[in-house]
Amino acid sequence: MARSSAHVSYAAPTVPMAIIMTVLCLFLANNVTHARTPATYIVGDEYGWDAIILMDTWAKGKTFYAGDILEFKYDLYSSNVMVVNRTGYETCIPNENAEEHRTGDDRIQLPYGLSYYIGTADAADCSAGLKMAIKAN
Ligand SMILES: *[C@@H]1O[C@H](CO)[C@@H](O)[C@H](O)[C@H]1NC(C)=O
């Protein structure tokens, strides 16, 4: 008798705990289901970061999210990637504090909002279309 009541009083608190664990598991599972793995985009696909295509056209119609990665592939001896502001993008002249990348294979993580990229190693490239404005959601 004493043994049985001891068992009951021990078991009682485990019921709410089981409910808490179930709710917690459902909550975590729900979060995992809705979490998004950052996508990696090869900018320009098979063309890479190159003035032979209009980079803004490549970006058009794609939905980007903050945290996604843009991989810029190009010939490091003849091109580069400058992360500029809107003025730099519009004028093709990098603004002060523009960030230059020049490894030939740069992975740049998209910040939330608008960001601008231009290629300036060859002055004609940006005007020819080696420029890209991207809005990350
Ligand atoms: C871009 O940066 C330059 C230099 O810092 C600045 O003069 C210009 O106003 C900036 N443009 C925008 C749109 O913020």
Side-chain angles (χ1 to χ4, degrees):
M1 188 63 182
R3 206 177 141 140
S4 148
S5 74
H7 177 74
V8 169
S9 68
Y10 176 75
T14 67
V15 174
M17 184 54 87
I19 292 167
I20 290 166
M21 293 305 284
T22 305
V23 169
L24 189 65
C25 285
L26 287 173
F27 173 77
L28 291 174
N30 196 46
N31 268 13
V32 167
T33 313
H34 288 93
R36 199 180 152 277
T37 311
T40 297
Y41 294 90
I42 307 285
V43 178
D45 296 318
E46 68 270 31
Y47 301 104
W49 177 244
D50 195 300
I52 57 172
I53 63 165
L54 297 173
M55 284 302 157
D56 274 323
T57 304
W58 172 82
K60 214 171 176 175
K62 294 182 175 65
T63 306
F64 298 96
Y65 294 92
D68 283 351
I69 292 170
L70 298 178
E71 186 168 357
F72 294 83
K73 292 185 164 197
Y74 55 91
D75 175 6
L76 74 125
Y77 298 107
S78 60
S79 199
N80 69 344
V81 181
M82 300 287 295
V83 183
V84 294
N85 67 12
R86 186 169 49 80
T87 310
Y89 167 81
E90 285 169 356
T91 60
C92 281
I93 299 163
N95 51 280
E96 262 178 65
N97 326 314
E99 186 188 302
E100 183 177 16
H101 297 261
R102 52 181 173 200
T103 67
D105 189 352
D106 306 314
R107 294 167 61 85
I108 303 175
Q109 196 164 36
L110 270 176
Y112 178 77
L114 277 162
S115 49
Y116 303 92
Y117 308 88
I118 65 176
T120 58
D122 180 335
D125 281 353
C126 176
S127 317
L130 195 60
K131 61 192 295 189
M132 189 169 72
I134 283 191
K135 183 169 178 275
N137 298 286

